Amino acid sequence: MSERPRERLIDQGADKLSVQELMAIILGRGIANESVTVTVQRLLSHFGGLKGVADASVEELMQVRGIGPAKATQIKATFELANRLAAAYGDKRPLVKKPEEVMDLVKGRLAGKKEEHFLALFLNTRGQEIKTVEISVGSLDASIVHPREVFREAMAASAASVVLAHNHPSGDPEPSAEDIQLTKRLVEVGELVGIEVLDHIIVGDNSFISLKRKGIF
């Protein structure tokens, strides 16, 4: 995670920042002898990710070292604004039917990354995006994704289906054997829990591949 997220946001745009970097900007600064990035990592770890932080009360947030009343209320206010914005959109949420529509939603978060970022797009029964969650960030050539993380988030979002997406830092979107194996595993788990995996999009430099369209599953 960058130690200068404000500068990255100005130079590259908010959509290029990770969850940790965005949280660091919201919190502003850390505590004595500790950077804000460490506080953010502790916060996300304590609540098991962004969803847990969003659901936590002010009192629960303040139980985390480095989070006092000011930071706790900043966090709650930020998520409440997001909730109200989502409510204002209502049925205007993006409809996801084609790989190209998935690509439009994720390219800003995946294109040009030096590490693999694995995202899950959770959809409602109408095929509209509920939210997109970053499941993992891997090394330059690998990303570890556990089905329980994907479907725990999916169930928390009351998703009817999910679309997977990740990038290849090499720029070549051709799926690896590991990509195919992981996809098939997630499809199988999705069938067991009743949440269909609709597709897996791999993003390269200037192109992408749909594993569903490619006939992988």
Side-chain angles (χ1 to χ4, degrees):
M1 179 170 60
S2 170
E3 292 288 342
R4 302 175 66 84
R6 290 192 187 90
E7 288 78 3
R8 282 211 340 113
L9 188 150
I10 293 169
D11 293 340
Q12 301 176 32
D15 61 337
K16 297 296 179 66
L17 271 64
S18 67
V19 167
Q20 291 90 338
E21 289 171 320
L22 292 169
M23 287 293 296
I25 291 174
I26 291 169
L27 295 184
R29 62 181 63 186
I31 56 178
N33 302 317
E34 180 177 285
S35 72
V36 67
T37 58
V38 176
T39 305
V40 169
Q41 289 167 353
R42 182 186 300 115
L43 182 68
L44 292 170
S45 176
H46 181 87
F47 291 105
L50 190 62
K51 178 65 166 57
V53 175
D55 291 341
S57 67
V58 169
E59 292 74 17
E60 289 170 332
L61 291 168
M62 289 172 58
Q63 293 175 8
V64 178
R65 181 171 177 266
I67 304 298
K71 286 185 171 62
T73 52
Q74 284 171 220
I75 293 169
K76 292 303 296 182
T78 299
F79 283 113
E80 179 57 28
L81 284 173
N83 289 337
R84 295 187 188 188
L85 179 61
Y89 271 106
D91 285 341
K92 295 180 182 179
R93 290 176 294 185
L95 188 65
V96 182
K97 289 186 175 181
K98 301 177 181 178
E100 289 78 10
E101 292 167 339
V102 177
M103 182 63 175
D104 286 341
L105 290 172
V106 304
K107 62 184 178 183
R109 296 178 62 171
L110 296 179
K113 297 290 186 181
K114 295 181 180 179
E115 292 183 306
E116 283 196 5
H117 291 247
F118 192 98
L119 307 179
L121 288 75
F122 300 124
L123 312 179
N124 62 20
T125 54
R126 297 182 180 181
Q128 295 171 305
E129 181 195 20
I130 300 173
K131 65 176 181 177
T132 298
V133 175
E134 184 175 83
I135 302 298
S136 73
V137 178
S139 64
L140 289 175
D141 58 3
S143 183
I144 300 173
V145 178
H146 296 289
R148 66 175 177 271
E149 296 171 352
V150 174
F151 292 103
R152 178 178 61 206
E153 292 279 2
M155 288 185 281
S158 299
S161 58
V162 59
V163 177
L164 312 170
H166 82 281
N167 63 304
H168 278 181
S170 66
D172 181 2
E174 194 65 29
S176 66
E178 290 80 8
D179 292 334
I180 294 171
Q181 181 180 16
L182 172 62
T183 302
K184 290 181 176 179
R185 184 182 177 197
L186 290 169
V187 169
E188 291 172 357
V189 175
E191 290 174 349
L192 289 174
V193 300
I195 300 175
E196 183 181 5
V197 176
L198 299 178
D199 205 344
H200 185 171
I201 305 299
I202 302 178
V203 179
D205 281 344
N206 299 301
S207 61
F208 70 93
I209 282 179
S210 158
L211 269 64
K212 185 69 173 286
R213 185 176 285 174
K214 198 174 176 66
I216 300 299
F217 68 98

